[in-house]
């Protein structure tokens, strides 16, 4: 696991000075749970208090996207990456995995809420994020990045 925090101050950064956090975690259920918890720690370090609506929404999005990366984007031996960015007003969440050939649908299909099957994660992301999307991973290696802005 690799963790890089670029701004650990306990005050919100100036809107003119963006802050970023990068987490490289094992593509396991434990890694996905840890991603959500560490996102909450980083938000608190940026001055976004635990339990406020923004913190809860960001933690929800990180949890859902990390779970999807582990479930659908896992390649044995490859980690997944979480990046959080905060500009004083908005939080950007990026979750990258090694499976570029398996992108989520841009419009999540409706699912039966009583079904034991999954499929509600992207509906939750869509409901709480201002916008979200999928992009090729780019210079950081093969795969895709699913991002959301809150």
């Amino acid at each position: 696991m690799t963790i890089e925090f670029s701004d650990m101050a306990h005050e919100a950064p100036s809107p003119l000075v963006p802050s970023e956090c990068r987490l490289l975690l094992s593509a396991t259920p434990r890694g996905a749970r840890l991603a959500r918890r560490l996102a909450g720690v980083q938000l608190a370090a940026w001055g976004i208090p635990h339990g406020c609506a923004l913190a809860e929404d960001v933690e929800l999005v990180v949890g859902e996207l990390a779970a999807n990366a582990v479930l659908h984007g896992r390649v044995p031996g490859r980690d997944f990456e979480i990046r959080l960015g905060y500009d004083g007003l908005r939080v950007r969440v990026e979750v990258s995995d090694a499976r570029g050939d398996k992108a989520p649908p841009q419009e999540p299909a409706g699912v039966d809420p009583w079904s034991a099957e999954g499929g509600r994660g992207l509906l939750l992301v869509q409901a709480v994020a201002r916008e979200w999307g999928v992009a090729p991973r780019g210079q950081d290696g093969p795969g895709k990045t699913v991002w959301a802005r809150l």
Side-chain angles (χ1 to χ4, degrees), residues 1-89:
M1 170 179 67
T2 303
I3 303 173
E4 295 177 16
F5 296 100
S6 62
D7 181 14
M8 287 299 294
H10 291 282
E11 301 172 10
S14 162
L16 301 175
V17 183
S19 296
E20 195 173 273
C21 167
R22 179 177 173 250
L23 308 168
L24 191 60
L25 300 163
S26 64
T28 63
R30 183 175 184 203
R33 287 189 306 272
L34 186 57
R36 183 178 177 135
R37 288 182 185 237
L38 290 174
V41 169
Q42 181 60 49
L43 293 173
W46 285 335
I48 302 170
H50 177 73
C52 77
L54 178 58
E56 288 182 354
D57 288 349
V58 169
E59 289 179 35
L60 173 75
V61 168
V62 168
E64 293 299 334
L65 295 183
N68 284 350
V70 169
L71 185 62
H72 304 294
R74 183 176 182 275
V75 171
R78 300 290 305 267
D79 295 330
F80 73 99
E81 179 179 52
I82 304 287
R83 286 187 186 202
L84 301 174
Y86 180 54
D87 66 4
L89 299 172

Side-chain angles (χ1 to χ4, degrees), residues 111-117 120:
V111 296
D112 176 5
W114 303 108
S115 169
E117 300 295 317
R120 292 174 293 279

Side-chain angles (χ1 to χ4, degrees), residues 57 60-61 64 108 119-129:
D57 288 349
L60 173 75
V61 168
E64 293 299 334
R120 292 174 293 279
L122 288 178
L123 291 172
L124 292 171
V125 171
Q126 187 177 44
V128 300

